Amino acid sequence: MTLEAGAELAPKTYPVTRASLVRYAGASGDFNPIHWSDRIATAVGLPGVIAHGMFTMALVARAVSEWTDGAEVVDFGAKFTNPVLVPDDDEGTSVTVSGTVKSVEDGLATIALTVVSGDQKVLGMPKVSVRV
Amino acid sequence: MAVDGSLVGRAFPPTRPYRVTDEKVREFAAATGVSWESGDPVPATFPIVLAFDAMNAFLDDVQVELSRIVHGEQKFSYARPIAPGDVLVATLSVASLRQIGGNDIIGTVSEITDDSGAVVCTTSATLVHRAAEVA
């Protein structure tokens, strides 16, 4: 697709279950128990098992790749402002990624993102630049 | 236990060389629901596999438990796309350290370099080391 400044990119919603977290832990090497053990998550003061921030970011990267047909990512960053709580049930939760093209110049498109789980924003200032 | 402020500026030894393979990239992509085929772009957050390795070594060194770490921020800046066949190492250094409300806020930068020494990706992470609750 052609990226033009001001373009709104269609929101993408991805499911997140405990199984997703176990699978991501294995694939990434991040075995922090706060991502799979309620006992340990609550012991360190969290409300329960939370998704890896990097799993959420990986889903954002997936959305960007789908929007841009696999464009080369040059810069990508976000703050983890609210945890994605993942209940231990069949449905889990979901993460929805939407974006707006802020600028296209010098061969780079910059996309401002909004990333929510439920009705809460989970990433602060998520932004990506891709080569166009 | 607060992390020692003298760590700022310290660089840790590079991680063991890591060969990027089709199989590993396919596994990583599949974990985010993507069917990856050989020749497709490597997922943008894949360098975290190396950066995480470097972070684990760092946490071991400073005797911080992983379960007390929450991720605050992550940024990637890519000099070129990663591709299967690359042999990469990550070198972590501590960029900043401050204490807020009993938590340590640790800023790290990991440079990911290939076997020619060229930087492929620079990634910075803010790690929040949560203080133990006071009983």
Side-chain angles (χ1 to χ4, degrees):
Chain A
M1 69 174 284
T2 309
L3 295 175
E4 288 174 0
E8 302 280 339
L9 303 166
K12 305 270 183 185
T13 297
Y14 305 114
V16 181
T17 64
R18 289 288 176 93
S20 320
L21 303 188
V22 170
R23 192 167 187 176
Y24 181 78
S28 69
D30 182 345
F31 295 104
N32 190 330
I34 65 173
H35 305 306
W36 50 266
S37 167
D38 281 307
R39 178 175 56 84
I40 294 170
T42 53
V44 298
L46 295 166
V49 161
I50 63 170
H52 308 73
M54 288 311 304
F55 180 62
T56 303
M57 256 183 109
L59 294 176
V60 174
R62 175 181 171 187
V64 170
S65 181
E66 289 173 357
W67 286 325
T68 64
D69 198 19
E72 180 188 342
V73 176
V74 176
D75 277 295
F76 184 27
K79 293 182 186 202
F80 304 104
T81 47
N82 282 301
V84 175
L85 272 171
V86 184
D88 184 11
D89 59 24
D90 293 338
E91 310 223 322
T93 186
S94 64
V95 165
T96 298
V97 185
S98 44
T100 306
V101 180
K102 299 309 277 186
S103 64
V104 182
E105 54 192 22
D106 301 329
L108 293 180
T110 300
I111 302 170
L113 302 147
T114 305
V115 184
V116 301
S117 182
D119 52 12
Q120 188 163 54
K121 282 190 187 180
V122 294
L123 298 186
M125 312 263 293
K127 200 169 86 165
V128 66
S129 294
V130 298
R131 211 175 288 289
V132 292
Chain B
M1 184 193 72
V3 172
D4 179 1
S6 69
L7 279 173
V8 176
R10 188 167 152 204
F12 287 78
T15 54
R16 193 169 48 191
Y18 180 99
R19 182 177 297 276
V20 180
T21 62
D22 278 2
E23 288 72 19
K24 185 65 198 181
V25 174
R26 189 176 297 118
E27 180 193 4
F28 187 88
T32 65
V34 173
S35 298
W36 186 87
E37 300 293 338
S38 189
D40 289 348
V42 169
T45 63
F46 186 80
I48 202 66
V49 173
L50 281 113
F52 198 82
D53 209 16
M55 185 196 74
N56 270 335
F58 160 68
L59 294 179
D60 272 356
D61 191 282
V62 298
Q63 295 183 302
V64 164
E65 265 180 68
L66 181 60
S67 65
R68 294 219 160 265
I69 293 288
V70 172
H71 209 157
E73 181 172 11
Q74 187 79 33
K75 286 182 182 171
F76 298 91
S77 181
Y78 307 85
R80 69 160 172 89
I82 287 177
D86 282 340
V87 177
L88 304 173
V89 297
T91 306
L92 179 145
S93 54
V94 179
S96 64
L97 182 63
R98 58 206 166 99
Q99 267 94 27
I100 296 179
N103 297 330
D104 297 304
I105 316 292
I106 309 165
T108 67
V109 176
S110 293
E111 274 208 331
I112 297 173
T113 48
D114 64 19
D115 53 0
S116 75
V119 175
V120 174
C121 174
T122 304
T123 183
S124 60
T126 306
L127 308 174
V128 182
H129 175 223
R130 294 162 66 91
E133 280 89 48
V134 178

